Amino acid sequence: AKTVCADSEKFGVIIGGLGRMPDPSEVLEDLGVRWVRVNNHLDNKDANAARLLEAGFNVIITFNNHDTVNMLTDYGNPEQFVHAGFPFASKEIYQRKIREVLAPLAFYLAKGRRIMAQCENEINDASINTKSRYWRGTVAQYLSQLDAFYEAVKTVNSSIPVVLSGFASGVLSGAVKSDLDGSMSGLAAKLLIALLTKGRYDAADLHFYGCTNDITPQARWVKEYLPSGKSWISTENGGPDYRCGSTPIRYEQDPLGYERLQAEQVPQRLSACVDNGARVCLWFSFFDLKKEIGVFSHMGLLEINTSGNGKTLKAKKDKLSKKKLSVLLRKKPAYHAFKTFVESRQD
């Protein structure tokens, strides 16, 4: 049997949601993926965690409270902020919904799968940052929600690690440069320190975009404030990012050049992540997300194949279940770079 070292078990991708996509298992297996992150908005839509666990993958489920009957809207409503999580109105209802998602999945733990549960994505304080995209509440409200989340998860199974809200790359970048003053970078540092030191969780989540060489100092900064006994993971790590001065290339300007640079960055970014002590390192993302903000829309390892009649994936949805995912998606150079990198960590 082939011996697999611990490092090769740490890598994966973020998918978000599969919707009506065909079964991705064959492609994920070929890629060497062991972990997949999916999102659950507590809106009764399946995040496909069971589908992935059944196929043999470990999952990180990011819960965003977008339950329209159980949210506080002091800082905006779900129509204004379609991607945001909101503070719960009822702790009891919130905890029940978390348990209802996780309880049917718990038996996979006995089969050797691993599950992590994350409370919200890239929170900011909406009372200070009015543009906060993923959290429409205060830091205090988030810490209260995290506490309730922790209780709910641990009542399902105490071995499921609770993951703190992801730390946005821009916030991390500001925190590293901070003097803990009243500047924007100072506010960024204070936000992350409050989450790291006051939150009830098992692992922090660092998101890495920007420059590849920023990863190590950002990881080191977080570890300085990470309490003893807690670990960190990274559920988003992608590039190239044209906001980085050394890689100003945009996909639209030079698609082939962008994809070559992306393939070069895959091993650099994943190495920096795992070598700095992360338990899990995921690539953003599995396939290109054309509806994402421009800088993130072409960071996928796969591209939707629109060859032939030029129809988009959306136009083909009714026929998806009859097709293999490998037929619909083009493997980019970054795909092969990811696969080669993971294989190199098996020795």
Side-chain angles (χ1 to χ4, degrees):
K2 191 173 185 178
T3 301
V4 180
C5 77
D7 271 3
S8 66
E9 294 290 301
K10 295 180 178 181
F11 304 110
V13 294
I14 172 173
I15 293 181
L18 296 174
R20 294 171 65 185
M21 289 288 288
D23 182 4
S25 302
E26 183 180 335
V27 178
L28 290 169
E29 191 70 38
D30 177 69
L31 194 54
V33 160
R34 298 312 312 145
W35 287 91
V36 180
R37 174 184 150 192
V38 295
N39 298 324
N40 188 300
H41 304 292
L42 297 180
D43 56 3
N44 299 316
K45 294 180 181 178
D46 183 16
N48 298 285
R51 184 171 158 188
L52 292 161
L53 288 163
E54 184 64 31
F57 303 100
N58 306 313
V59 298
I60 300 169
I61 308 172
T62 301
F63 289 86
N64 306 102
N65 183 35
H66 209 79
D67 178 4
T68 55
V69 299
N70 187 33
M71 62 169 62
L72 298 178
T73 55
D74 298 337
Y75 299 99
N77 60 58
E79 288 75 30
Q80 293 172 293
F81 298 96
V82 295
H83 301 292
F86 290 79
F88 58 68
S90 165
K91 175 181 175 180
E92 181 182 353
I93 293 173
Y94 176 72
Q95 290 186 314
R96 175 172 55 78
K97 285 214 162 188
I98 298 296
R99 291 193 297 266
E100 285 175 351
V101 173
L102 290 176
L105 306 177
F107 89 99
Y108 286 105
L109 297 170
K111 297 175 71 173
R113 312 287 188 273
R114 285 173 285 170
I115 299 169
M116 294 188 186
Q118 182 170 40
C119 182
E120 301 294 336
N121 176 52
E122 294 190 354
I123 78 130
N124 215 311
D125 193 321
S127 69
I128 298 172
N129 181 355
T130 58
K131 295 181 180 179
S132 178
R133 188 182 185 205
Y134 295 113
W135 175 248
R136 301 310 301 177
T138 65
V139 172
Q141 286 175 316
Y142 173 73
L143 290 172
S144 176
Q145 191 139 312
L146 176 64
D147 190 67
F149 184 84
Y150 188 96
E151 290 177 359
V153 172
K154 297 302 182 178
T155 57
V156 172
N157 191 298
S158 61
S159 71
I160 299 175
V162 169
V163 182
L164 197 56
S165 167
F167 294 174
S169 177
V171 176
L172 272 172
S173 179
V176 170
K177 303 169 186 174
S178 167
D179 292 324
L180 296 179
D181 54 15
S183 65
M184 290 298 292
S185 60
L187 292 173
K190 290 174 182 178
L191 167 68
L192 300 189
I193 292 170
L195 295 175
L196 287 166
T197 59
K198 297 179 181 179
R200 197 176 179 195
Y201 66 97
D202 300 303
D205 177 18
L206 284 59
H207 294 178
F208 299 126
Y209 298 103
C211 300
T212 301
N213 59 11
D214 287 340
I215 294 175
T216 294
Q218 289 174 2
R220 287 176 177 169
W221 186 92
V222 168
K223 287 190 287 185
E224 286 182 17
Y225 295 96
L226 194 66
S228 176
K230 300 189 189 301
S231 59
W232 70 276
I233 65 175
S234 175
T235 66
E236 295 186 26
N237 188 351
D241 186 335
Y242 61 69
R243 298 169 299 181
C244 173
S246 61
T247 58
I249 183 172
R250 292 174 181 257
Y251 178 85
E252 294 77 13
Q253 296 171 324
D254 182 4
L256 293 179
Y258 179 96
E259 290 194 1
R260 283 194 297 269
L261 181 57
Q262 182 189 30
E264 292 174 11
Q265 286 199 0
V266 167
Q268 296 169 359
R269 286 179 171 275
L270 293 178
S271 291
C273 178
V274 73
D275 293 345
N276 276 290
R279 286 179 60 189
V280 174
C281 297
L282 307 188
W283 184 264
F284 180 94
S285 58
F286 184 43
F287 49 82
D288 284 349
L289 303 172
K290 299 297 176 66
K291 292 183 179 180
E292 258 289 359
I293 296 172
V295 66
F296 305 111
S297 58
H298 293 280
M299 290 184 178
L301 301 175
L302 297 151
E303 180 188 40
I304 295 170
N305 185 358
T306 57
S307 59
N309 59 14
K311 290 183 180 179
T312 64
L313 183 62
K314 184 177 181 181
K316 297 178 180 179
K317 273 190 172 180
D318 290 339
K319 299 179 181 178
L320 285 182
S321 60
K322 300 177 182 178
K323 295 189 176 184
K324 284 190 175 183
L325 191 62
S326 56
V327 175
L328 295 166
L329 300 174
R330 175 178 68 89
K331 295 177 180 178
K332 297 163 64 176
Y335 179 100
H336 302 289
F338 183 103
K339 180 177 179 178
T340 299
F341 173 77
V342 174
E343 290 173 346
S344 75
R345 291 282 178 152
Q346 293 178 350
D347 301 325

